[in-house]
Amino acid sequence: MTGIRLTAPAPGWSIDADVVVVGSGVAGLTAALRCAAAGLATVVVTKARLDDGSTRWAQGGVAAALGEGDTPEQHLDDTLVAGAGLCDETAVRTLVTEGPDAVRRLIGTGAHFDTADDGTIALGREGGHHRRRIAHAGGDATGAEISRALVEAVREAALHTVENALVLDLLTDAEGRTAGVSLHVMGEGQHDGVGAVNAPAVILATGGMGQVFSATTNPPVATGDGVALALRAGAEVSDLEFVQFHPTVLFLGAGAEGQQPLVSEAVRGEGAHLVDAHGTRFMLGQHELAELAPRDIVAKAITRQMQLHGTEHMYLDARHFGAKMWEQHFPTILAACRTHGIDPVTEPIPVAPAAHHASGGIRTDLRGRTTVPGLYACGEVACTGVHGANRLASNSLLEGLVFAERIAADIVADRPRSAAAATVADDPAPSPLLPPEARTTIQRIMTRGAGVVRSADSLARAAEELEDLHRSAFLKAGAAEPKDAVPGVEAWEVTNLLLVSRVLVAAARQREETRGCHWREDRPERDDENWRRHLVVKLTPDRQLVLRRTDTEAFGPVQPSGAADCAATGTTHPTPEEP
């Protein structure tokens, strides 16, 4: 354990439970429902409302070998290719083998997928898939339907939920084992202000970190809180340099920042073409699947065309769909485009890449266990080894389902200790907070230096600018009259964003190759001999980032380890000393 905490008031209230789940997307609610069904006292903590996470924004669907002639082995092959040599094959095999039944159980929970005329599940196709295996709902509203079904199931089961609550830090007992979380509830209600949920098992399902960048498809709540919490708790994170930029995000102008509307890959799956301003297709000849190549390949091709033509976007042309197909298959996208003055029925859609999905995260084993005893992670916040260097389209919802069920099974088999037996260690080492206005600064640093295209120079500048922000926070905290930021949601979020950004940049600087969605223009080739490896990062008690490289592309066992062990085999990235 690092002993590092966010600067925050002491908890003023507490809840006792067997399990606390942080996050209310597909992963979090699936895990919570399974734990509660087994008789465990389960509390769900979520940052906004139960249905406000990334899951409900998912348009494409859930990938699983459900169609005639399709097999888990074919799904595995497509996933391994997309992952650019860094997928853990055992994890992928687990995903694709258990995936079909997990989807069927989701249907049993109440989710309604679109069906064909014969009553079977209608399956679409997306980039990187050689078969139609994407189950979807409402055409392009799959996430909203899954979220609806799971939220209804949670309410029907009368689970204890705490909404509008930002998780702060992991609580531990005298042996360093998980004992719950501290959190801050925004607004009045049954609980208000900083409190604690005492539980011997904590499941982090906090979603992504897209708000690290200026433009993203992620909702405002995706500020990397789970990864930052895990780092402060001493857990290992892996592959954070692999941030997938979705190729086709509706271009709203050069100055557009924050969450941007997604134009689902399923649109290309139904035959839409990527074209330049002259209407010329540019994916032909670049990959056997053309517009349906894996996302990293398409995002790079669009970026190259933008550089070649000196423009800020390309176009997605689906005028040949006609109004009826747009209205029936892609009503959500159609409405979003029209809201912004674009009618895809009569004109091409301006698109550009934007930050979309974190392939890396908190390192876990096949049962979702992290390197901190009692701490689990699933969904986008986790790095199971499934995605490798680039996530295959629509594997994320499936990963959330499969590994959430595995986590619940592990917790139920181990039956957690009573929450009353947990004694929280008095080991505060608060981190100075950044002011809320630093959020935009961080996002612009990351977009310039660690966006779609990276280089040694751009990453070095980003690292220096991020360290200046980090150093400044410590200097202000150590001044005779401290002027550090006041504890609060915005200050906690931006402090989390800075920590996650520093780790991402440190890993991207060390990986001197181009692989998957990590594009180094100064190292344009893939280097399997030296870099078909994972980068694992840990935060030490003296706030140093320590990086180590795995021996193979396989994850290997995830075991509790001390900071000294990590430092002995890794590369240290020093941070400023506390004044």
Side-chain angles (χ1 to χ4, degrees), residues 19 56 70 88 106 133 157 178-179 185 200 211 260 305 329 343 377 385 419 421 454 497 532 541 570:
V19 183
R56 77 179 179 97
D70 197 5
D88 182 282
L106 177 63
R133 64 167 66 98
T178 293
V185 178
Q211 292 292 324
Q260 312 289 300
Q305 289 295 314
H329 289 264
D343 188 351
R454 304 165 178 175
L497 282 174
R532 195 176 178 189

Side-chain angles (χ1 to χ4, degrees), residues 76-85 87 128 130 287-288 294 296 390 526:
L76 180 141
D77 289 342
D78 285 345
T79 301
L80 295 180
V81 170
C87 295
H130 282 79
H287 190 276
E288 61 167 333
D296 63 311
N390 181 53
R526 178 167 144 177

Side-chain angles (χ1 to χ4, degrees), residues 136 171 275 374:
H136 48 82
L171 303 178
V275 299

Side-chain angles (χ1 to χ4, degrees), residues 144-156:
E145 169 57 19
I146 290 173
S147 183
R148 179 206 62 76
L150 291 174
V151 168
E152 283 190 9
V154 163
R155 288 176 175 154
E156 186 175 329

Side-chain angles (χ1 to χ4, degrees), residues 14 65 101 113 188 375 391 486 543 548:
S14 65
D101 283 342
F113 289 95
E188 297 180 2
L375 178 64
R391 176 179 66 98
V486 176
R543 292 183 170 85
R548 66 177 175 85

Side-chain angles (χ1 to χ4, degrees), residues 155-333:
R155 288 176 175 154
E156 186 175 329
L159 264 66
H160 190 156
T161 61
V162 182
E163 297 181 280
N164 300 307
L166 172 65
V167 67
L168 300 176
D169 282 303
L170 190 73
L171 303 178
T172 55
D173 62 18
E175 285 87 41
R177 185 180 173 85
T178 293
V181 292
S182 59
L183 64 157
H184 173 81
V185 178
M186 299 163 263
E188 297 180 2
Q190 183 179 0
H191 307 292
D192 191 20
V194 176
V197 179
N198 302 315
V202 171
I203 303 173
L204 293 179
T206 53
M209 55 184 192
Q211 292 292 324
V212 160
F213 296 94
S214 297
T216 177
T217 62
N218 290 189
V221 295
T223 51
D225 306 316
V227 171
L229 176 151
L231 282 163
R232 288 192 296 271
E236 293 181 345
V237 304
S238 185
D239 299 352
L240 227 60
E241 68 271 31
F242 296 115
V243 177
Q244 186 178 79
F245 285 75
H246 198 288
T248 53
V249 175
L250 182 62
F251 181 74
L252 300 181
E257 295 183 334
Q259 186 178 10
Q260 312 289 300
L262 176 67
V263 181
S264 171
E265 199 155 287
V267 177
R268 280 176 281 138
E270 294 300 327
H273 302 146
L274 283 165
V275 299
D276 61 21
H278 303 292
T280 303
R281 291 178 67 182
F282 54 83
M283 285 304 300
L284 295 175
Q286 296 207 29
H287 190 276
E288 61 167 333
L289 295 176
E291 278 88 358
L292 286 178
R295 286 178 178 173
D296 63 311
I297 294 172
V298 180
K300 290 172 187 175
I302 292 174
T303 303
R304 287 192 187 100
Q305 289 295 314
M306 288 161 53
Q307 293 171 338
L308 179 65
H309 293 278
T311 60
E312 295 172 318
H313 62 83
M314 287 287 112
Y315 294 93
L316 186 65
D317 191 352
R319 289 175 289 178
H320 55 285
F321 284 6
K324 184 176 180 181
M325 182 172 176
W326 269 109
E327 290 164 0
Q328 292 182 348
H329 289 264
F330 305 110
T332 306
I333 299 169

Side-chain angles (χ1 to χ4, degrees), residues 21-34 46 50-58 61-62 102-103 106 109 111 113 142-151 154 203-207 357 378-380 394-405:
V21 179
V22 186
S24 59
V26 62
L29 295 188
T30 297
L33 287 167
R34 297 294 183 272
T46 188
L50 280 179
D51 63 350
D52 269 350
S54 293
T55 290
R56 77 179 179 97
W57 295 99
V62 185
V103 173
L106 177 63
T109 303
F113 289 95
T142 309
E145 169 57 19
I146 290 173
S147 183
R148 179 206 62 76
L150 291 174
V151 168
V154 163
I203 303 173
L204 293 179
T206 53
H357 188 276
C378 60
E380 190 173 351
S394 289
N395 267 358
S396 51
L397 292 175
L398 189 71
E399 182 193 31
L401 284 172
V402 168
F403 286 90
E405 291 185 342

Side-chain angles (χ1 to χ4, degrees), residues 67-121:
E68 184 178 352
D70 197 5
T71 64
E73 198 69 24
Q74 294 175 68
H75 189 182
L76 180 141
D77 289 342
D78 285 345
T79 301
L80 295 180
V81 170
L86 270 190
C87 295
D88 182 282
E89 187 169 339
T90 303
V92 177
R93 193 171 296 280
T94 299
L95 177 81
V96 300
T97 302
E98 299 181 9
D101 283 342
V103 173
R104 294 183 184 103
R105 283 189 287 273
L106 177 63
I107 293 170
T109 303
H112 301 293
F113 289 95
D114 297 337
T115 56
D117 293 340
D118 62 359
T120 60
I121 296 175

